[in-house]
Amino acid sequence: MTTQTEIKDIGDQFNIEGEFVSSAPLGNGHINQTLLVTYLNKSGKKKYVFQKINHVVFKEPMKLMENYSRVSSHLRACIDKDETQNERRNLDVVLTKLGEACYHNLEDGSFWRCYNYIEGAETYDVAENTNQAYEAATTFAQFLKLVKDLPGGRLHETIPNFHNTPARMDALKKAIQQDPCDRLKLVKDEVRFALDREKEAGTFIKLLQEGKLTELITHNDTKINNVLLDCKTGKGVCVIDLDTVMPGLIHYDFGDMIRSGAASAKENSKDLSIVYMKFDMYSAILHGFLEEADEFLTPLDKELLPLSAKIITLEIGTRFLTDYLLGDKYFKTHHADENRDRTRMQFKMVSSMEEQFVKMQNELK
Ligand code: ADP
Ligand code: GN1
Ligand code: MG
């Protein structure tokens, strides 16, 4: 844990006005260390988010921040200047005193960034009602519509092969062979579940290679707690967690909204009897997404939306399973079996989607 004094010192590196007051952990992200930091300046209290970039996951934080700054500036330029509270609609990068997008602490090798805290908005780990699901989907889709036209060259791939599902399957097979923690015997059924679906897992990458799907700029981590909704109105405010904004397939973004936003329970739920894909949430996300995204989807893109939900859920379950076998090196965990619980929960969601698949397809008509 980083101490208050250390955080104050980190804050001193950034162009922030006023005096450091306090800092506290923020949110339930699995990757970065995220802090809410309060300052006091002439106009009163002002809050910022400090994030220590996980540089084991993101191997080139400077390139990541190049993407981040480009995306954030583009979105800011697209936001209506006359809109009330327009400052809440974007993560604006606060530069360091040296004019850089993040601070690299040479003593411990850490990378820190800072941006505005968005007041009066919340994230949800599980959608509580269809309105939240709908709002999350339209907000993500509006984001995709805007980043689609990002000027300049191709964005860096901050994690290569991030949504290459066959590569994720290969990583699982390697972990099975190595079994460094002797955990394979504890997840035999889960391994079988994943490998039984290996062929279908390659569908999207194959269609991309065949030129039938087009790469766009996508978010790649559209889980429901990566979008802020207004506490009072419930309206979508801002898409966050821009680390994986890079070239990708729109399907994985849609699918991840369903995986996370249509889930009946938390990602680490142990009680599988309460886990299923809620059809009303699926429907709300589908219609919210199409409301904004229909105009840039091909007929094939649309046809594949139900399948995308299943494939990404399988992919993320496979990643949790691989991390479990390898000793919980990637995702933050709070107890020894959490990645196994997460795997089981994801695979229960896959089964639930398989059971409702025809209905999911019919909802498109
Ligand atoms: P991670 O990559 O670890 O998931 P996120 O960028 O998603 O990190 O941040 C973790 C959590 O912190 C989010 O789910 C959200 O609850 C909260 N959060 C992050 N940025 C903001 C912000 N600008 N305003 C309000 N809450 C935020
Ligand atoms: C991670 O960063 P966070 O918690 O929003 C992960 C996603 C997974 C998700 C599963 C960079 O998302 O790919 O889908 O956990 N992000 C990264 O909850 O690996
Ligand atoms: Mg996040």
Side-chain angles (χ1 to χ4, degrees), residues 160-170 201-202 205 209 252 315:
N161 284 320
F162 190 55
H163 286 310
N164 185 329
T165 320
R168 298 294 188 180
M169 285 284 170
D170 290 344
I205 295 302
Q209 283 160 355
Y252 285 106
E315 178 188 294

Side-chain angles (χ1 to χ4, degrees), residues 29-30 221 223 225-226 240-241:
H30 291 338
D221 191 0
K223 81 170 165 183
N225 74 10
N226 283 331
I240 60 170
D241 204 343

Side-chain angles (χ1 to χ4, degrees), residues 165-175 198 318:
T165 320
R168 298 294 188 180
M169 285 284 170
D170 290 344
L172 171 64
K173 288 194 246 171
K174 204 168 154 198
E198 190 178 2
T318 301

Side-chain angles (χ1 to χ4, degrees), residues 26-34 49 51 91 113 115-118 121 123 221 225-226 228 240-241 243 332:
L26 179 66
N28 293 324
H30 291 338
I31 303 296
N32 296 307
Q33 183 187 340
T34 307
V49 174
Q51 259 183 340
L91 302 182
R113 67 173 163 232
Y115 51 81
N116 51 314
Y117 172 73
I118 298 183
T123 53
D221 191 0
N225 74 10
N226 283 331
L228 288 161
I240 60 170
D241 204 343
D243 292 319
K332 272 187 214 161

